[in-house]
Amino acid sequence: MNWGIFEGLLSGVNKYSTAFGRIWLSLVFIFRVLVYLVTAERVWSDDHKDFDCDTRQPGCSNVCFDEFFPVSHVRLWALQLILVTCPSLLVVMHVAYREAQEKKHQEAAGKNGGRLYPDPGKKRGGLWWTYVCSLVFKAGVDAAFLYVFHSFYPKYTLPRVVRCHVAPCPNTVDCFISKPTEKNIFTLFMVIMAVVCIVLNLVELAYLVNKRYRECLLVRKARATGLGHRWNWATASSKQDDLRLDNLTFLGSDAPPPLSPDHPRDHVNKTIL
């Protein structure tokens, strides 16, 4: 694996994420990926070899192991981590697409042609929807895998003894799992980390939606204020035009000035001292 490319992807995800997204990335990388790479594979490496049954019937231990472990924890976790981290890479790819489009636009229109994206990494428009959908997808994947684990292994724990009566076993036999306590500890740890990541995704989603909602309210308020100012200015201008109509001034006269004289030249300014 090229760790330079991996480091570049992680730095890109960290750069275009919010504070909650950076915490989520740290938890996934340190407490899930590293724990999986360093310990999980070693703990589950001998699960089939040390799965013992109290019978020597050929094939009995194999079918009992397959019945109780339809899918290995390690393979489920690997698939879960791949599906959880892919949406974050899609956000980085979307930003890279924006930067490429901006570069093409600058080359075609020149420096005075404006910009397509003032800030390609700012979560606006399509990038905002990509980021929000990635949060929903990540939370949904973790929740789905928690449900799958609970379906295969109730309460996310492994018993010390498994009773099996599947053919070709001659009768109900007892099978013993290797290191069940250690496996239960790591299983519960991974489950707790998945729950924490789900909570962080939901908190970040609520933060983004609330922030976008407040921005929309501010824009609407600004537009309403601008329309009110323009309306007041137009009304004031209309009143001033009415006062200056035909340059008529009546001082000391009880009669109101004519609104629209038919012959303006016949009227003169009257001043009574």
Side-chain angles (χ1 to χ4, degrees):
M1 180 177 179
N2 192 335
W3 288 100
I5 298 176
F6 187 69
E7 182 181 1
L9 292 175
L10 286 179
S11 62
V13 174
N14 187 65
K15 179 180 179 181
Y16 304 121
S17 300
T18 62
F20 298 105
R22 295 186 182 97
I23 297 174
W24 176 89
L25 182 63
S26 301
L27 288 177
V28 170
F29 182 72
I30 298 175
F31 294 101
R32 296 179 71 177
V33 175
L34 290 184
V35 169
Y36 170 81
L37 294 176
V38 175
T39 60
E41 290 186 343
R42 296 182 180 180
V43 172
W44 268 267
S45 61
D46 57 352
D47 53 353
H48 192 191
K49 181 180 66 175
D50 295 337
F51 186 80
D52 295 329
C53 298
D54 58 355
T55 181
R56 295 301 178 183
Q57 177 68 31
C60 180
S61 61
N62 290 332
V63 296
C64 290
F65 182 84
D66 182 70
E67 182 183 18
F68 191 75
F69 292 99
V71 183
S72 173
H73 286 67
V74 177
R75 293 173 179 83
L76 276 177
W77 281 331
L79 181 61
Q80 181 181 5
L81 292 175
I82 291 173
L83 293 178
V84 164
T85 54
C86 280
S88 298
L89 301 181
L90 291 177
V91 174
V92 177
M93 293 173 62
H94 195 161
V95 175
Y97 170 78
R98 279 187 163 192
E99 292 176 349
Q101 292 294 109
E102 181 65 30
K103 184 177 180 181
K104 291 181 180 179
H105 175 73
Q106 293 295 331
E107 292 177 353
K111 296 183 179 180
N112 298 326
R115 295 175 61 90
L116 289 176
Y117 306 102
D119 186 0
K122 195 170 183 62
K123 289 178 280 296
R124 290 290 185 273
L127 184 59
W128 187 87
W129 284 105
T130 301
Y131 198 91
V132 169
C133 291
S134 69
L135 294 176
V136 175
F137 184 82
K138 289 186 290 189
V141 167
D142 277 333
F145 273 89
L146 288 179
Y147 175 77
V148 170
F149 271 105
H150 188 270
S151 300
F152 288 160
Y153 312 105
K155 297 181 181 180
Y156 305 106
T157 56
L158 302 176
R160 296 179 181 273
V161 181
V162 179
R163 297 187 179 277
C164 177
H165 56 276
V166 182
C169 297
N171 50 30
T172 301
V173 298
D174 294 335
C175 298
F176 304 91
I177 300 173
S178 173
K179 297 180 290 188
T181 303
E182 185 179 14
K183 292 178 180 179
N184 288 335
I185 291 174
F186 279 102
T187 301
L188 292 177
F189 178 81
M190 296 296 281
V191 168
I192 292 173
M193 287 296 102
V195 172
V196 173
C197 289
I198 291 174
V199 173
L200 281 175
N201 287 327
L202 296 179
V203 170
E204 186 176 10
L205 178 63
Y207 167 76
L208 288 176
V209 173
N210 184 45
K211 182 179 179 181
R212 185 62 176 169
Y213 176 73
R214 286 183 297 171
E215 289 176 354
C216 291
L217 287 181
L218 290 176
V219 170
R220 291 183 179 179
K221 185 177 180 180
R223 289 178 179 177
T225 304
L227 290 175
H229 284 314
R230 286 197 295 269
W231 174 259
N232 293 334
W233 178 82
T235 305
S237 300
S238 178
K239 290 181 178 179
Q240 292 177 2
D241 292 341
D242 291 341
L243 291 175
R244 291 194 301 266
L245 182 62
D246 296 323
N247 195 22
L248 297 177
T249 304
F250 290 85
L251 298 178
S253 175
D254 295 332
L259 294 179
S260 179
D262 295 333
H263 303 285
R265 293 182 179 179
D266 297 339
H267 297 269
V268 295
N269 294 337
K270 297 181 180 181
T271 305
I272 303 177
L273 299 178

